[in-house]
Amino acid sequence: MSPAPQNIDLRDWKNSPIGRGKLSRFSPRIGRLGPFVLMVGLLAGCGAARPVKYYQLTVPTDAGDIERADAVPVRLLLGGIVTSHLYREDRIVYGNGPEQLGTYEFQRWAEPPAEMIQEVLLRDLRATGHYRAVHVRRSNVTGDFAIRGRLYDFKEVEGGSMSTRVTMEFEMRDLKTGATVWNHYYTHDEPASGKDVPAIVAALDKNVQQGVKEVVESLDQYFASHPAK
């Protein structure tokens, strides 16, 4: 096909007899190709989509009674766990060296890690049956002691072998005096049984269960040595 003259505006060329003839020859082909091209584009887009897989931590199913009259006469209020924005979202985090972090795109948590850990601790504390009541702290709930936590690490750690790191800290404040009367720090690297994401999730779950167990036992020791009056 002859090119449009170099010194003529394209709109003038289209309106010329030659231009109209050239366009008219190819316009039916372009019209027939349009739906085909659109269909190919839509199918390619659908084929590129990947399903997102979600994971969650193991939460005790039997949390015991919420209120127990025969237990230690204190009501514990469990506050939220403070953490970085990475652990307030649902992405699974991995460490790429000592300073760089990344997240998996199609492997995610069912809930943000900080919220899942709070739920595990809440149910474990209730399951002990040692306290009159354990509640999530809200403005309309009264209690004797308030527990709050901070989550520092909840990630896959790359190295000689795959492992997971959980680092968290909890403290308890006496609501009558305002004094901090107890704290517990936990950090541990739990080896993973494989390099795939399910193995990493299983190792993180085991790590959290161990850490929460330590927290619950440490609280029991505190109240055993500081009987509530």
Side-chain angles (χ1 to χ4, degrees):
M1 182 172 66
S2 302
Q6 296 297 319
N7 297 326
I8 298 178
D9 187 89
L10 183 59
R11 289 172 295 182
D12 296 334
W13 182 78
K14 289 179 180 179
N15 294 326
S16 69
I18 296 176
R20 287 197 298 270
K22 298 294 186 182
L23 290 176
S24 62
R25 289 172 56 191
F26 290 96
S27 57
R29 300 181 187 179
I30 295 173
R32 288 194 298 269
L33 286 173
F36 175 75
V37 173
L38 178 61
M39 185 180 296
V40 171
L42 290 174
L43 291 175
C46 294
R50 289 181 56 188
V52 177
K53 295 183 179 180
Y54 292 91
Y55 303 88
Q56 60 185 8
L57 297 178
T58 302
V59 178
T61 55
D62 182 12
D65 297 332
I66 295 178
E67 297 278 348
R68 295 177 60 93
D70 59 342
V72 176
V74 297
R75 286 183 169 86
L76 304 180
L77 303 182
L78 183 58
I81 298 177
V82 179
T83 189
S84 71
H85 74 279
L86 276 177
Y87 303 132
R88 292 198 299 267
E89 299 178 354
D90 63 355
R91 301 294 181 91
I92 297 178
V93 179
Y94 61 85
N96 189 7
E99 299 177 349
Q100 184 178 356
L101 298 175
T103 59
Y104 289 101
E105 179 66 25
F106 300 103
Q107 313 277 354
R108 304 187 183 186
W109 295 109
E111 297 179 82
E115 296 179 16
M116 290 192 295
I117 293 174
Q118 182 190 34
E119 183 67 19
V120 173
L121 178 58
L122 174 71
R123 295 206 180 197
D124 274 7
L125 285 171
R126 285 178 177 174
T128 64
H130 295 169
Y131 308 101
R132 177 167 294 173
V134 184
H135 296 290
V136 174
R137 189 173 189 182
R138 299 186 181 91
S139 58
N140 60 342
V141 179
T142 60
D144 304 296
F145 296 88
I147 300 172
R148 60 183 179 182
R150 180 176 291 275
L151 178 63
Y152 299 102
D153 296 306
F154 187 78
K155 63 185 180 182
E156 166 193 324
V157 180
E158 295 182 356
S161 59
M162 300 297 291
S163 63
T164 63
R165 179 172 299 160
V166 173
T167 304
M168 54 188 178
E169 185 175 19
F170 290 90
E171 66 178 26
M172 183 171 67
R173 184 164 56 92
D174 187 329
L175 293 176
K176 293 180 181 178
T177 65
T180 298
V181 295
W182 167 91
N183 63 77
H184 186 82
Y185 180 83
Y186 173 85
T187 184
H188 175 65
D189 286 1
E190 178 67 30
S193 61
K195 295 185 178 181
D196 58 354
V197 173
I200 297 300
V201 168
L204 281 168
D205 186 28
K206 183 178 179 180
N207 209 342
V208 167
Q209 304 302 326
Q210 178 176 320
V212 169
K213 181 181 178 182
E214 284 191 13
V215 170
V216 172
E217 291 176 349
S218 180
L219 275 170
D220 285 346
Q221 293 172 6
Y222 170 79
F223 284 108
S225 58
H226 299 79
K229 299 178 181 180

Short mmCIF file of all heavy atoms in Angstrom, two decimals, residues 20-21 36 84 101 112 149 166-167 173 219-220:
data_model
loop_
_atom_site.label_atom_id
_atom_site.label_comp_id
_atom_site.label_asym_id
_atom_site.label_seq_id
_atom_site.Cartn_x
_atom_site.Cartn_y
_atom_site.Cartn_z
N ARG A 20 -9.74 7.44 0.50
CA ARG A 20 -11.01 6.75 0.73
C ARG A 20 -10.99 5.34 0.16
O ARG A 20 -11.50 4.39 0.75
CB ARG A 20 -12.15 7.56 0.10
CG ARG A 20 -12.49 8.84 0.87
CD ARG A 20 -13.85 9.35 0.45
NE ARG A 20 -13.88 9.69 -0.97
CZ ARG A 20 -13.58 10.89 -1.46
NH1 ARG A 20 -13.22 11.87 -0.63
NH2 ARG A 20 -13.63 11.14 -2.76
N GLY A 21 -10.32 5.19 -0.99
CA GLY A 21 -10.25 3.87 -1.59
C GLY A 21 -9.43 2.90 -0.76
O GLY A 21 -9.77 1.74 -0.61
N PHE A 36 -12.71 -10.46 17.63
CA PHE A 36 -11.76 -11.55 17.85
C PHE A 36 -10.62 -11.11 18.76
O PHE A 36 -10.25 -11.80 19.70
CB PHE A 36 -11.21 -12.04 16.50
CG PHE A 36 -10.14 -13.08 16.65
CD1 PHE A 36 -10.46 -14.39 17.00
CD2 PHE A 36 -8.81 -12.75 16.45
CE1 PHE A 36 -9.47 -15.35 17.14
CE2 PHE A 36 -7.82 -13.71 16.59
CZ PHE A 36 -8.15 -15.01 16.93
N SER A 84 3.81 -3.47 63.62
CA SER A 84 4.03 -2.68 62.42
C SER A 84 2.90 -2.93 61.42
O SER A 84 2.12 -3.87 61.56
CB SER A 84 5.37 -3.04 61.77
OG SER A 84 5.31 -4.33 61.19
N LEU A 101 12.62 -7.15 53.84
CA LEU A 101 11.45 -8.00 54.03
C LEU A 101 10.63 -8.00 52.75
O LEU A 101 10.64 -7.04 51.98
CB LEU A 101 10.59 -7.49 55.19
CG LEU A 101 11.23 -7.47 56.58
CD1 LEU A 101 10.28 -6.83 57.58
CD2 LEU A 101 11.59 -8.88 57.01
N PRO A 112 -5.28 -10.61 60.05
CA PRO A 112 -3.95 -10.09 60.37
C PRO A 112 -3.32 -10.85 61.54
O PRO A 112 -4.02 -11.23 62.48
CB PRO A 112 -4.24 -8.62 60.74
CG PRO A 112 -5.49 -8.29 60.00
CD PRO A 112 -6.31 -9.56 60.02
N GLY A 149 0.03 -6.22 74.41
CA GLY A 149 1.21 -6.85 73.82
C GLY A 149 1.77 -6.07 72.66
O GLY A 149 1.17 -5.13 72.15
N VAL A 166 9.26 -15.73 65.69
CA VAL A 166 8.19 -15.01 66.39
C VAL A 166 8.81 -14.31 67.58
O VAL A 166 9.46 -14.95 68.41
CB VAL A 166 7.06 -15.96 66.84
CG1 VAL A 166 6.05 -15.20 67.71
CG2 VAL A 166 6.36 -16.59 65.64
N THR A 167 8.63 -13.02 67.64
CA THR A 167 9.10 -12.22 68.77
C THR A 167 7.94 -11.35 69.25
O THR A 167 7.38 -10.58 68.46
CB THR A 167 10.28 -11.32 68.38
OG1 THR A 167 11.33 -12.11 67.82
CG2 THR A 167 10.82 -10.57 69.60
N ARG A 173 -0.99 -4.45 83.57
CA ARG A 173 -1.07 -3.27 84.43
C ARG A 173 -2.22 -3.43 85.41
O ARG A 173 -3.32 -3.87 85.05
CB ARG A 173 -1.28 -2.02 83.58
CG ARG A 173 -1.29 -0.70 84.33
CD ARG A 173 -1.12 0.46 83.36
NE ARG A 173 -2.14 0.43 82.32
CZ ARG A 173 -3.31 1.08 82.40
NH1 ARG A 173 -3.60 1.79 83.48
NH2 ARG A 173 -4.18 1.02 81.41
N LEU A 219 1.85 -15.91 83.60
CA LEU A 219 0.77 -15.23 84.33
C LEU A 219 0.31 -16.07 85.52
O LEU A 219 0.05 -15.53 86.61
CB LEU A 219 -0.41 -14.97 83.39
CG LEU A 219 -0.35 -13.70 82.56
CD1 LEU A 219 -1.44 -13.70 81.50
CD2 LEU A 219 -0.44 -12.46 83.43
N ASP A 220 0.22 -17.37 85.31
CA ASP A 220 -0.17 -18.25 86.42
C ASP A 220 0.83 -18.13 87.58
O ASP A 220 0.44 -18.08 88.76
CB ASP A 220 -0.23 -19.71 85.96
CG ASP A 220 -1.46 -19.99 85.11
OD1 ASP A 220 -2.38 -19.16 85.09
OD2 ASP A 220 -1.48 -21.05 84.45
#
